[in-house]
Amino acid sequence: MTKPKYIRPLVSELHAYVPGEQPKIKGLIKLNTNENPYPPSPRVLKAVQAAADGRLRLYPNPAADRLRAQLAKLHHCKPENIVVGNGSDELLALATRCFVEPAPKAHKRSAKSVIQYFTPSYSLYPVLADIHGATKNAVPLNPDFSIPKMAELKRAKLWDFNAALTLVTTPNAPSGRSYPVSQLERICGAQRGVVVLDEAYVDFAKENAMPLALKFENVLVARTFSKAYSLCFQRVGYFVGHPDLIDALHKIRDSYNVNGLGQVAAEATLDDLDYYRANFKKIIATREWLSRELTKLGFRVLPSETNFILARPPVFSAQDWLQKLRSRKILVRWFSAPEVKNYLRITIGTQREAEALVKAARRLGH
Ligand SMILES: Cc1ncc(COP(=O)(O)O)c(C=O)c1O
């Protein structure tokens, strides 16, 4: 292949992040991208519709001030503890640019350039590291997807306590497993660089680590309106943490990084939390029902504290199941990474969708 003329080698050689399929065909049961099966609250839809008027010609509030004030109230902190982004993905990317030095080619490894994460976890992290030219430190989780104990992290010498940026998905994706906050606290206390606790799925879990963002000066908690608050389309996420870290992120973000309708939608969401809490309960009930039913059919379902499950199917390979379910109009997700290639990741949809999946699995597996 001839060398691309205009593109940086780092970009030509990059393996970009692969998002889950957004199918063009209608009528599929879509359990592949961890979206919420329930629509935003009627109050949110009304607020967005009401805001879609002549104001669209104006720039939105640059720092999402009203939303940050509401979030500060919710999390018992100050607006200075919060930065809002175009989805939490944008903030994760900003964190790489804010806290990590690109690795100089000719020099030996420096912790200042290290982005560290467990595997498997959110598959965007290595891509962000590659885009930034950082050094990746991918440390395997235990075979049951738990985090190795602190003594083990120290003993194995794989973990870098000086890494510039450590990213922990908690509860984890794609395993669905949660980690005790006490264990996360020990890790945060031991890291000399910045730690991001990525709590994209935390509303479906028993515990959350938000107090750590307000306790440690090097810890950020990432949250999103996408999953629990049915707002993927609007792209709103946020970090909570020490004002010094937050201030630095504000400095490098785009001036108007959160679109106006997204701000309106997120603000209205926070005014109607009871609606969403009722949905969390429904999703958790469906998750537990689906886990039990698939287990009866011979699937090995890992315990989940998220809005998806990771399940090892019987009879055929996971990749075959992916195709067979698709031919029955059910979309789930499969990852080729060795630790998870025998599993399917299944988003929790409505109870009806879960029943359709169980029916299809019963037919296919027998
Ligand atoms: C662990 C994790 N973090 C962050 C995100 C991104 O969320 P957002 O839609 O806020 O960019 C996802 C989305 O799949 C995720 O799985």
Side-chain angles (χ1 to χ4, degrees):
M1 204 174 80
T2 52
K3 272 197 170 176
K5 195 166 156 195
Y6 300 110
I7 318 291
R8 291 170 63 204
L10 180 150
V11 177
S12 318
E13 287 154 25
L14 183 76
H15 291 284
Y17 178 72
V18 184
E21 183 186 348
Q22 295 296 348
K24 307 235 167 25
I25 326 160
K26 288 216 169 95
L28 293 181
I29 296 183
K30 192 170 176 306
L31 307 176
N32 66 331
T33 47
N34 297 344
E35 289 146 326
N36 196 306
Y38 301 107
S41 95
R43 281 166 73 173
V44 170
L45 296 179
K46 226 169 135 187
V48 173
Q49 279 154 10
D53 59 16
R55 272 175 290 174
L56 293 188
R57 77 190 171 80
L58 299 173
Y59 282 110
N61 183 289
D65 286 331
R66 184 160 182 265
L67 178 57
R68 285 195 304 133
Q70 283 175 284
L71 288 168
K73 218 165 160 193
L74 180 69
H75 296 303
H76 310 290
C77 62
K78 299 212 167 83
E80 291 74 25
N81 292 108
I82 296 169
V83 58
V84 184
N86 181 34
S88 49
D89 278 350
E90 185 204 15
L91 295 168
L92 294 168
L94 285 178
T96 67
R97 282 155 52 192
C98 199
F99 308 122
V100 186
E101 295 288 356
K105 270 223 167 92
H107 294 158
K108 68 176 178 38
R109 177 185 164 118
S110 154
K112 284 187 166 50
S113 302
V114 171
I115 296 182
Q116 163 169 265
Y117 48 87
F118 292 108
T119 51
S121 68
Y122 187 23
S123 52
L124 179 68
Y125 303 154
V127 180
L128 293 179
D130 288 342
I131 291 171
H132 191 58
T135 306
K136 289 173 286 192
N137 192 37
V139 176
L141 290 166
N142 291 324
D144 67 354
F145 301 108
S146 59
I147 293 181
K149 295 240 155 53
M150 182 57 78
E152 180 57 24
L153 289 178
K154 284 186 177 152
R155 197 186 59 76
K157 296 218 163 88
L158 295 171
W159 190 253
D160 186 344
F161 288 93
N162 293 311
L165 181 62
T166 298
L167 302 165
V168 183
T169 319
T170 173
N172 196 15
S175 74
R177 213 196 142 111
S178 69
Y179 307 127
V181 172
S182 53
Q183 187 175 25
L184 297 172
E185 181 161 5
R186 277 194 288 280
I187 293 173
C188 291
Q191 288 307 126
R192 285 174 279 270
V194 172
V195 181
V196 173
L197 301 172
D198 182 350
E199 291 197 327
Y201 300 101
V202 82
D203 295 284
F204 307 103
K206 293 193 193 85
E207 274 195 297
N208 74 77
M210 187 57 84
L212 303 185
L214 302 170
K215 174 173 177 177
F216 291 99
E217 64 179 20
N218 62 332
V219 175
L220 293 161
V221 164
R223 294 278 181 94
T224 176
F225 282 85
S226 293
K227 318 288 179 178
Y229 301 95
S230 305
L231 225 50
C232 291
F233 198 76
Q234 294 282 18
R235 312 299 302 124
V236 188
Y238 60 100
F239 273 177
V240 179
H242 192 282
D244 289 351
L245 300 186
I246 296 295
D247 201 39
L249 290 158
H250 275 295
K251 269 167 105 174
I252 64 164
R253 66 172 173 77
D254 281 352
S255 317
Y256 305 103
N257 64 328
V258 189
N259 80 81
L261 293 180
Q263 293 187 34
V264 166
E267 289 163 12
T269 298
L270 296 179
D271 287 334
D272 202 5
L273 286 178
D274 285 348
Y275 169 88
Y276 294 94
R277 288 179 181 136
N279 287 347
F280 306 158
K281 280 200 185 136
K282 284 197 269 187
I283 290 168
I284 290 169
T286 301
R287 179 184 77 201
E288 299 309 304
W289 180 86
L290 181 65
S291 301
R292 280 195 303 276
E293 293 302 312
L294 289 179
T295 304
K296 284 186 209 158
L297 295 178
F299 283 69
R300 179 171 176 251
V301 184
L302 301 183
S304 166
E305 292 205 20
T306 60
N307 68 337
F308 57 87
I309 52 173
L310 194 69
R312 196 174 70 197
V315 189
F316 315 109
S317 71
Q319 209 176 356
D320 282 352
W321 272 95
L322 179 79
Q323 298 311 333
K324 286 177 195 289
L325 285 171
R326 200 194 157 98
S327 69
R328 284 182 155 66
K329 297 199 158 181
I330 300 175
L331 235 61
V332 297
R333 190 102 192 249
W334 174 76
F335 296 96
S336 61
E339 317 89 335
V340 288
K341 71 176 188 345
N342 295 327
Y343 291 84
L344 296 173
R345 195 196 67 187
I346 305 169
T347 301
I348 306 301
T350 60
Q351 181 64 24
R352 244 186 166 178
E353 289 172 328
E355 284 165 16
L357 171 67
V358 168
K359 202 166 152 195
R362 193 173 289 127
R363 291 233 172 100
L364 287 167
H366 286 276

